[in-house]
Amino acid sequence: MGRHSLPDGSAPAITGPPPPARRRTLVLATGLALAVVAGSVVALRSGLLPFGGPCDGNSTRLAVVAAPDIAPALEAVARTARDGTIRTDGKCLDVQITARAAHDLADAFGQRPADPEFQVWIPDSSLWADRVGAERGTPLTTAGTIASSPIVLGAVPTAATSLGWPARTYRWAELTRAATSSRALRLGMADPARSATGLLALARTSAADGKEGDDADTRTAAAAKLLHQRVADGDSNATATLPKDDSGAARDNPRRNRALLLSEQAAYAHNTASGSGPSLDLFYPQDGAARLDYPYVLVDDEEMRPEQTRAANRFMTLLSEAAGQRILRAHGFRDANGGADHKVIRTAGGRAPQPSAAGPADPPTVRELQALLGMWTITVQSTRLTTVVDASASMGTPVPGQGGRTRMQLAKNSLLQALATCTSDDEFGLWKFATFLDGPRDYAEVAPTGRLGDRDTNSGGTHRDALTAALDALTPEARSGAGLYDTTLAAYEKARTTYASGKVNALVLVTDSANADAGSIGLDDLVARLKQLADPKRPVPLIALAIGPDADTSALERIVAPTGGSAHRVDDPSQLHRALLKAIITAGGKGPH
């Protein structure tokens, strides 16, 4: 633990699996500990250390900050310690509990404050302490875990019945797919950027998708986009989105979720609270649930005073002993190893044959969680995309095995799919290009890049409507080639000058040909010019989607490199949507936006 890691009475009964090696581990200073124990025995025989009687204002204060869901249980244990005059160093143990959201504390500890306000931190998941460690923030020492709770899918009774509860069981991928495919079910969760429950549920979805073959990232991103439509700021706000009663009006209210990804303990708290609405029924995945693990974390223990260290050890002992575990269980928590009694499971909404005793899924690594957060941010954040489509004659080439449909037709259909996934706050624009398309120019702006929900002054409909019509109207230009280089430079210059802060900005280039304008800017000059234009603080990645065998992928790879973008060969134009989504996720995770 550090130089002051001394036992107070007996050592804490640390339960649960050992923390990963990357975390600092609790180490007892054996020789000094033996000396303290021996001294305590002598003092006890001499009556020098009172373990009963009134405190008379003589106490040792321990400041503990904890996740809001476990804070009431910790306060109950601390209160029994005060009422029972539990001692440490011969003084009453006075534990003060403060409830704070774990993501707020992780941000604060990541800044490495010089004088931490708290000696102990009990977040809902080890991922927060791991994040602080990865950021080299405040030194944290994980001493063990005190409780746990699996992450499950809870649904109000009518919604649970529609999914086959309790008889039907699912693997995690099947469960989330079934829940997100029904608009009537209205599945919500807490924001993964602010909630361990939300992030671990998303990680479980990603891991499950990865076991089902290719395009796992695309499937996870699609699920994330659907979940984001009903996301809540935090865990308590998530349960507040459930119906308040069993009435038809509450059930049919489109603003009310009928199912949630949440912890078993959150379901227990909801089902036992008065006036919280219909009780939840729980689905437990066959292949194991993600789990909140509630680590007991010492904050900068090298700077703690010896009496604070011993008080922290004493409080952890109280939490791990039978009386402390009973209190935690009464608040709906499992023990650190995942064991729960039948009453907790049943009250939370579990019923056989739901596999509530299934072992936990493997926890994600810090790197995996960072990648997921990047994917979540990029996928659900508003985007500003300008799409530049090749309209040269070769785009009229039929694609084998596609019933005579051309490259242009399949590309348009795929881009329309991408447009359908965009929200009203997203911005979208469309250019087309071919040699000498507009007099001496090789390009034309078909629809300016603008917010999809805005009204279009020409048509009277929305910008989305205008873009849909513009995409539908795209046709190859007869006897033309691809004016690729001049178009790329002009479109990138426009994207840079119209950069929108707070959005994912990108320029998407769709082509099946090499540059065919002999009088255009050369490749070397184009690459040099893009290097001058690119700004890491205001990134606009250029994403090139090359269709078929005639596209000049080597030139495209040189073109996209200075912008932080990527080039992708797509043999089937109908797969442009998937390739585009993966490219945006990759590009957006490389830098600020």
Side-chain angles (χ1 to χ4, degrees), residues 386-389 433 484 488 492 506-513 530 540-547 551-561 563-570 576 579-580 582-584 587:
T386 301
T387 303
V388 185
V389 180
F433 68 98
L484 181 64
T488 300
Y492 197 80
L507 178 65
V508 180
L509 181 67
V510 180
T511 183
D512 73 339
S513 305
L530 291 173
V540 182
L542 174 56
I543 298 167
L545 303 176
I547 301 174
D552 191 350
T553 52
S554 61
L556 292 174
E557 287 172 353
R558 286 191 62 194
I559 290 169
V560 301
T563 72
S566 55
H568 307 264
R569 178 178 290 282
V570 183
L576 281 176
L580 176 58
K582 292 180 71 172
I584 291 173

Side-chain angles (χ1 to χ4, degrees), residues 107 346 356:
D107 288 342
R346 189 172 184 85
S356 57

Side-chain angles (χ1 to χ4, degrees), residues 52-61 82 85-88 90-94 96:
C55 289
D56 297 327
N58 191 14
S59 61
T60 297
R61 176 73 60 88
R82 288 192 294 269
T85 61
I86 300 297
R87 306 282 173 147
T88 176
K91 300 178 182 179
C92 287
L93 178 61
D94 182 13
Q96 300 296 313

